[in-house]
Amino acid sequence: MSAIPSIYTVAALYCFARFPDPQALAADLRARCADLGTCGTLILAGEGINGTVAGDAGAIMALIGHIRTLPGCTDADVKYSWADAAPFARMKVKVKAEIVTLGVGDLDPATQAGTHLDPADWNALIADPDTVVIDTRNAYEVAVGTFQGAIDPETRSFREFPDWFDAFAADLKAQGRSPKIAMFCTGGIRCEKSTALVKARGFADVYHLKGGILRYLEEMPEADSRWQGDCYVFDERVAVGHGLQAGDYVTCRDCGLPHLRDAAHDCPGDESGVWPHRG
């Protein structure tokens, strides 16, 4: 077991790949994470791996090095940040049907996803008034921050996104429009699936922000940024801003929703399974 680090390296990662036996891979990862003393969550499925892990720098580098040896994961997308305290209470390795749940089973994000754009090209695209910019995250995340001019689908879970988009697409087609569509999410993984869905629905010019909001906030100078607010993250930091510095948000103990420290919070109560909530 590794010693408790004074500064935690945090790695957010995902990779769409073919895993014939995710249960066996998960068992091996549980043992490795225990030996390395990491905390966080990893999710495996037949379609790949997703998660965020934290620990001392050596342990995280060793774990990421191992994950890159898994089938099809040599180029796994990994984003690093840092925390002064453990951002997760424990280490969990889970096997699920999907590594991010959209509920549309006939998509192959590895081959069907939209065109990736780096932050500079993203800025140029979303500045075009003919581009439709869609935030694929849930309403409580959007409330913390989003890109200027982005559409908020007001979803409460990612599973609601396909129905929302189908209604939105029908409206666009009724207007005779087939615009460029730019989509974004926290780290990029939800957009791999959502852009594949949009292309499957017949839209050709579909783009998404490579590395998601986190990479944008890390690389884009604040003076040139089109981001407004902070970015909600799924750990004890709650939200981060430019340079991935921790923001001034805390999590409500009752409902799990983020709110500004020392600000009034209209708590809706624990709506378990829909909003982030205790446990």
Side-chain angles (χ1 to χ4, degrees):
M1 180 71 69
S2 300
I4 297 174
S6 57
I7 295 179
Y8 286 76
T9 297
V10 183
L13 64 105
Y14 73 86
C15 183
F16 284 96
R18 298 292 185 187
F19 289 170
D21 190 354
Q23 291 285 359
L25 296 179
D28 179 66
L29 280 167
R30 287 189 193 100
R32 289 179 182 271
C33 290
D35 288 342
L36 292 168
T38 57
C39 58
T41 300
L42 291 173
I43 298 171
L44 291 88
E47 64 181 8
I49 186 169
N50 173 35
T52 304
V53 290
D56 69 62
I60 293 301
M61 292 305 103
L63 180 57
I64 296 302
H66 173 70
I67 288 172
R68 291 193 188 279
T69 69
L70 301 182
C73 291
T74 302
D75 298 320
D77 186 284
V78 184
K79 291 169 288 297
Y80 296 99
S81 57
W82 293 267
D84 293 331
F88 304 99
R90 58 191 180 276
M91 186 72 223
K92 297 179 285 187
V93 181
K94 304 177 180 180
V95 176
K96 295 187 175 183
E98 299 178 69
I99 58 174
V100 58
T101 304
L102 185 62
V104 179
D106 58 348
L107 299 177
D108 182 8
T111 60
Q112 296 174 324
T115 301
H116 295 77
L117 295 180
D118 64 26
D121 290 336
W122 174 260
N123 272 3
L125 177 66
I126 67 174
D128 182 346
D130 293 328
T131 299
V132 172
V133 185
I134 301 174
D135 193 330
T136 68
R137 302 171 304 149
N138 298 322
Y140 66 89
E141 299 171 77
V142 179
V144 174
T146 191
F147 279 104
Q148 180 181 347
I151 295 170
D152 175 9
E154 300 182 3
T155 54
R156 292 160 64 92
S157 76
F158 195 41
R159 279 184 174 274
E160 294 180 5
F161 187 82
D163 286 343
W164 174 86
F165 184 78
D166 286 345
F168 181 72
D171 186 54
L172 287 177
K173 290 177 180 178
Q175 299 174 44
R177 297 177 62 199
S178 184
K180 290 178 287 187
I181 295 179
M183 309 176 79
F184 64 94
C185 58
T186 308
I189 185 171
R190 279 180 275 190
C191 288
E192 301 282 1
K193 282 199 166 182
S194 60
T195 57
L197 171 73
V198 171
K199 289 179 68 178
R201 297 299 195 258
F203 291 84
D205 294 326
V206 184
Y207 305 85
H208 66 103
L209 179 58
K210 185 177 181 181
I213 302 161
L214 294 180
R215 182 160 291 160
Y216 183 93
L217 292 177
E218 180 180 16
E219 297 180 0
M220 179 60 61
E222 189 168 359
D224 300 325
S225 176
R226 298 182 66 87
W227 179 260
Q228 299 175 325
D230 284 343
C231 176
Y232 178 83
V233 291
F234 296 87
D235 60 51
E236 295 299 325
R237 295 171 298 172
V238 185
V240 297
H242 285 88
L244 302 183
Q245 296 298 309
D248 197 29
Y249 278 81
V250 294
T251 300
C252 174
R253 289 181 176 273
D254 292 321
C255 67
L257 292 175
H259 64 93
L260 282 168
R261 192 185 310 274
D262 300 326
H265 171 56
D266 185 15
C267 177
D270 181 3
E271 302 192 27
S272 180
V274 178
W275 299 98
H277 57 93
R278 291 173 295 175

